[in-house]
Amino acid sequence: MFFRSKSKYKDLMQPFSQAGLLGIHLVASTFVGALIGWYLDKWLDTKPTLFLLFLVFGIIAGFKNMYMETKKIQRELDKQDAAARQDKPQD
């Protein structure tokens, strides 16, 4: 009564969680790249060269992660479509 089955909301929440994951990939990669560049600039006294270089690397890595995650989602959707077509009775 009080506890509901999570399976009811799985189909509804899955796209939102996947979209959130894509955003996290982009932001986290950019932040980590900028942080590494900032620390290297501070340590080697090369301001702002390494910060900008690693910031660009972080952005590129974020977009690469987003692309790979999008391909993974697309493969899962293709598998679901293929399974749905097999389950559908032939006319």
Side-chain angles (χ1 to χ4, degrees):
M1 172 173 112
F2 187 70
F3 299 101
R4 294 183 183 208
S5 172
K6 291 183 182 180
S7 63
K8 287 182 178 180
Y9 302 108
K10 182 179 179 183
D11 292 336
L12 179 64
M13 294 305 293
Q14 189 172 7
F16 292 116
S17 65
Q18 290 171 340
L21 183 63
L22 292 176
I24 288 171
H25 278 306
L26 183 61
V27 171
S29 298
T30 303
F31 181 72
V32 168
L35 194 63
I36 290 171
W38 183 73
Y39 275 119
L40 286 175
D41 271 341
K42 188 175 176 182
W43 181 49
L44 298 173
D45 198 28
T46 57
K47 293 177 183 156
T49 309
L50 292 176
F51 172 76
L52 294 174
L53 182 67
F54 277 89
L55 178 66
V56 170
F57 285 158
I59 292 169
I60 292 169
F63 278 108
K64 178 185 169 272
N65 288 339
M66 284 180 57
Y67 175 74
M68 292 177 70
E69 189 67 30
T70 304
K71 284 185 69 159
K72 179 181 163 188
I73 292 168
Q74 186 63 44
R75 281 193 306 267
E76 291 173 5
L77 290 174
D78 290 343
K79 285 181 186 178
Q80 289 175 0
D81 287 344
R85 276 188 241 124
Q86 287 178 352
D87 292 342
K88 184 176 164 184
Q90 298 291 329
D91 289 331

